[in-house]
Structures are given as structure tokens and as C-alpha cells.
Amino acid sequence: MNAPAVQRSGPGTLARGLGALRSLLPQASDYTGVRRTWRGDLVAGLTVGIVALPLALAFGVSSGAGAEAGLVTAIVAGLLAAVFGGSHVQVSGPTGAMVVVLAPIVAAHGAGAAALLSVLAGIVLVALGASRLGRAVAYIPWPVVEGFTLGIGVIIFLQQVPLAVSAPVAPGQNTAVAAVAAVASAPWPRAAASLGVVALVVATTLLVPRIHRSLPASLLAILAASLGAGLLGLEVERIGALPASLPAPALPGFGISDLPSLAGPALAVAALAAIESLLSARVASGLAGPDGRTTGPYNPDRELVGQGLASVAAGLFGGMPATGAIARTAVNVRSGGRSRTASIVHALVLLGVVYLAAPLVAQIPLAALAGVLMVTAGRMVSVGTARRILGSTRQDAVAFVLTAVITVAFDLIVAIQIGLAAAALLTLRQFAKLGSVRREPIPGPAHDGDEHIAVFRLDGLMFFGAAERVLEEVTRTSSADGVEVAVLRLSQLRYLDATGAQTLVEAVRRLEARGVTVLLKGVQEQHLDLVRRVGVIAELRHHRHLFDSLDDAVEHARSHVRRARLPSATA
């Protein structure tokens, strides 16, 4: 009789599985509105391509992998993520946060490690997306996100200091220490020329938007700095020769002995890519374009798969790990981008630069890229956001400051982990306060002997964070007042975990050992099985000491007190 049911459910289960798989892959519906939006997508794609060019070059140089790696990543990953990702408007490529993680790894293992990390991290991202873990980013608290965003901004700024003063940096140094050392050992007057280029870029980047907001400030700043350096004959370092075409795809060179040392960094890169991409996609879904309409929802699991495939492809072409880039995504949306076509156009614009303008790009001063990233870093630091978090609650302020400080002082992934741990512990502390126990008066008219009966009401959350305090309160009060019967009211408990149930076992055991009879009242249906399995009921003096009504529990308690008084009364 069960066979037909199995046959009926089989096709349904298979259909659901195929539907889940299809939801992670490109679909024709991704481009249903292109006929209506293609003009805006084309303009947005051109705009974002222009904005992305200096950033891709700068992030490649700053990571240690080279300007070529940054440009290749923006092209290959930008194209693949646009096609396979879960957001219609997300623009992907190298980002500042990824540079923060990559720079020490590249310094320790060489520039080739970036491509290998990109492939390994991409595989992890695809697995995370296929496992439906995309929505897990929603559990990262806002103060933690803003804390490491602030820390990233500070690190990106500090990373540019050696380039800004034309001073070499010892590999593996802490970013802040390296910045101070670079300033102390700056080769003057050569450093003055580099600082002049940085100042020109910063000034141009800040002033151009005041002339017209749609002008590509970063690109114009780099053009001005390159022309100025060339005309004045300044001795400043340049990007250098770039390939006039994309390299052929190939597996990154590595030995089996390299994998153990890169496994941890690969997981760290994958975690950062997942967090940054999903946060960017989530923000992008609420952004409004020139028409005032938001871009709509996104698929977080497909986004992870798309970013994973993009990073794998970037690594095969000699690039670096990519993530969704909120700054470029915001430019895309506000420039009129409404479909994946805009992100695809952005990648094609950068591809055209490689084939048509590589010799010109090679003449850009490295100090100009440093200036662009310094402005980018400054814009990542939001004084208003920091003020709101610091003025909210103490635990959120602690999580924010702790995450930011550890990001700068140690490591981004460590900062996220410690920030999450601090936020969790401080939140648990607040939740623990929601679990309370108090002694209540016995309802109704008083009876002789009621002073020997204690009614305890347990409220809120009875979990590992609050259990010990509840146990101490119950046992202390019961032993101090000559209590002979304790009634534990459990009907108001909203949550009970194994630790809370074990605490009840310990409370019953301690009280019964002191001669106090324990009665349980109002064990909720959802808690009853746990209470039985952990052994709370087994610790009671009698299995009938479990009541649904407080009146019945109190009457039973009074009968116990009366029976305890009978021998002395007859005597």
C-alpha cells in the first residue's frame, strides 16, 4: 500500500530538485526587459567601465599581483559574474577588501598565489551556493559589517602611503607599521614628486563632481596626473608594460606542497568574497535609479555560484579573486543600469582598453593610482554611521570598535570572527536578562502553613546563558525561608534548551535533597519531551507532582504541609 505513495512523491521530489538546480543557472528571463532598458544599460555600462578602469589597475598593484591581474579580473570576473550571478545589476571585480586580505598572502607566497587562491576560493563559493547558504550573510550584525568596512578603509589608505612617497616596503609587514616606515625612509626629493601627483589626483577627484556629477572624476584625475608627470618630466614610477591582449587560460602553477599552506587563506578569501558580494547585492536591491524605481530582489545562492565561477575563471586567466563591488554597482544603478547587459558592457569596455589602449595605460604613474585609492578609502569611512552606532547600545558600540581595531591591527577575517563572537556574547548577555525567576504570593485567601510554600515563576528564556542564575535564585530562596514545598511555574517559559532543562534537574535534585518537595506546574507541550528526556520528571519525588493548574498545585502543596504537621499536632 505504500508503493503508490512512493511513486507519486518521487517525481515531485525530482522536479523540486531540478527546479532548485535551474534557479542557480542563467535563464532566459534574465533578459526579458532588455528591449526596454538597453539604452540605459549601454550608458551605465560605459560609465561603469570608465570608473572601473583606474580602480582595477590600482587594486591589482596594491595587492602585489600587478596591474595586469587587476584588469584581467575586472574583465573576466566582471563578465562571468554578470551572466551567472544572482543580481541583475551587480558589478564585480577586484575590490579594496580583497586587496587587504590578498596583500600579505601575495607577499608571503609570491604573485602567482593570487591566481591559485582565486581558483580555490571560487570552488568553495560554488559549493556554498549549491548548499543554499547564501542567506547566512543576514546573520552578520550591522555594527560588525560597518566595523570591518571602517577598518578596510583605513588599511587601504595606509597601503597607499609607500606608493605616495616612492618608498619600498618590506613584505609581510603590518600595514600601519609599513606606512610609518615608508614615511621615515622616503627618498627626497623624489618623494615630493610622487606626493605632488597624489595631491593632483585627490584634488581633481574631489573637484570634478562639483562641476558635473556625471563626469568620470577618477579617470580625469589619472589623465591629468599622467599628462602633468609627462610634461614636467617627473621621475615617478609607472605601471609599466601591459599585454595587448588577454592571456590564454591555464591552470595556475603550484605544487602539492603549496596546498596545505594556502588552504586557510583560500577559505578566508572565499568567506570574504561571499560576505562582500552578498552585502553588495543586498544593498543594490534597494538602490533607486534615475527613474526612482529600485532594482528588485536577488538570488543569494545563485550570487555565490556566479561569484565562484567568476573567481575560478579569473584565476585561470592569471587574475585575482573577485567580489561584488558596491561602489561600481551603485554607479551602475544610478547611471540607469537595469539588466545584466550593463555589467556585460562594462567588461567589454575594459576589454577594449586592453586591446586598444594598453601602451597608454602603461604610462600611468603608480602614485596616481595611490591617490585614487586614498579617495576611495576616505569615502568608505562614514562619520555619520560611526556616530549612530556609537550612540546606539553599548554592546553594538563595542562590537563596532573591536572589529575596526582588529581589522587594522591584525587581519580582516580574524576581525570578522572576533567581531561576530563579541556581538554574539554581548547579545547573549542581553538575552540572559530576559530569563528571570521570581517568588510569587500564593493566589487567593491565605491558609495556615502557606509560609512554608514557595511559588516560583520562571519567565522568558531558560537557556545556557541564564540557567545558572535561575538555579542559584531558586535554591537560595528555598533554603533561606524554611520552605517545605516549592512550586515551579513553567507556563511562561518561551524558550527552554538542554542546559535549561538540566538546570531544572539540578534544582529539583538540590531541593529534594534538603527535604523540599518540588511540584512542577504548566510544562508546555513543546517543552514536555525535552523535560522528560533530560530527566526533570524522573527527579521528582512522585510522578504525580506534575500539574496543569496552579490551584491544583497549591492545594497539593498545602496537603503536604498539613501532613507534615500531623505528628506534632497529635502529640
Side-chain angles (χ1 to χ4, degrees), residues 323-350:
T323 74
I326 185 57
R328 277 158 273 176
T329 300
V331 171
N332 181 32
V333 173
R334 289 166 183 160
S335 300
R338 275 294 175 270
S339 79
R340 299 167 188 270
T341 307
S343 300
I344 294 172
V345 170
H346 134 271
L348 295 178
V349 168
L350 294 175

Side-chain angles (χ1 to χ4, degrees), residues 98-442:
M98 189 59 68
V99 165
V100 171
V101 174
L102 273 182
I105 299 173
V106 170
H109 297 276
L116 178 57
L117 279 177
S118 188
V119 173
L120 296 177
I123 294 171
V124 174
L125 285 173
V126 172
L128 290 175
S131 302
R132 302 288 176 176
L133 295 176
R135 300 190 186 278
V137 73
Y139 297 109
I140 300 178
W142 175 52
V144 174
V145 173
E146 293 297 337
F148 75 73
T149 300
L150 172 60
I152 288 168
V154 173
I155 289 179
I156 291 174
F157 185 91
L158 293 175
Q159 283 178 336
Q160 310 318 308
V161 172
L163 283 178
V165 296
S166 296
V169 179
Q173 271 190 321
N174 175 271
T175 307
V177 174
V180 174
V183 172
S185 61
W188 304 96
R190 185 180 175 187
S194 294
L195 285 174
V197 171
V198 171
L200 177 60
V201 169
V202 172
T204 305
T205 305
L206 297 178
L207 291 175
V208 165
R210 298 187 178 184
I211 299 172
H212 201 289
R213 293 182 61 84
S214 63
L215 292 174
S218 297
L219 184 63
L220 292 176
I222 283 183
L223 287 174
S226 301
L227 289 172
L231 292 173
L232 296 175
L234 298 180
E235 293 185 11
V236 291
E237 289 187 65
R238 315 279 175 155
I239 288 178
L242 291 173
S245 62
L246 284 182
L251 285 174
F254 67 95
I256 299 300
S257 59
D258 296 329
L259 293 180
S261 62
L262 290 178
L267 292 176
V269 167
L272 176 60
I275 292 169
E276 189 172 14
S277 297
L278 291 175
L279 286 175
S280 176
R282 188 171 71 179
V283 171
S285 67
L287 291 176
D291 57 1
R293 293 186 300 171
T294 57
T295 61
Y298 69 101
N299 183 330
D301 299 312
R302 181 178 168 184
E303 181 64 22
L304 289 183
V305 171
Q307 294 294 341
L309 294 174
S311 283
V312 169
L316 294 179
F317 279 88
M320 52 195 280
T323 74
I326 185 57
R328 277 158 273 176
T329 300
V331 171
N332 181 32
V333 173
R334 289 166 183 160
S335 300
R338 275 294 175 270
S339 79
R340 299 167 188 270
T341 307
S343 300
I344 294 172
V345 170
H346 134 271
L348 295 178
V349 168
L350 294 175
L351 183 63
V353 169
V354 169
Y355 281 93
L356 302 175
L360 295 177
V361 173
Q363 298 304 311
I364 296 175
L366 291 178
L369 300 181
V372 169
L373 289 188
M374 283 181 168
V375 175
T376 301
R379 287 171 175 166
M380 292 178 69
V381 178
S382 172
V383 176
T385 298
R387 187 182 295 116
R388 288 197 300 274
I389 296 174
L390 294 174
S392 57
T393 64
R394 184 169 60 181
Q395 61 266 26
D396 288 329
V398 169
F400 171 72
V401 173
L402 190 62
T403 304
V405 170
I406 293 175
T407 299
V408 177
F410 298 101
D411 177 77
L412 181 63
I413 299 301
V414 172
I416 295 173
Q417 293 170 344
I418 293 179
L420 285 173
L425 289 174
L426 292 168
T427 301
L428 283 176
R429 183 183 177 191
Q430 291 301 111
F431 279 153
K433 296 178 181 178
L434 299 177
S436 64
V437 57
R438 59 178 177 172
R439 184 171 178 178
E440 291 186 327
I442 298 175

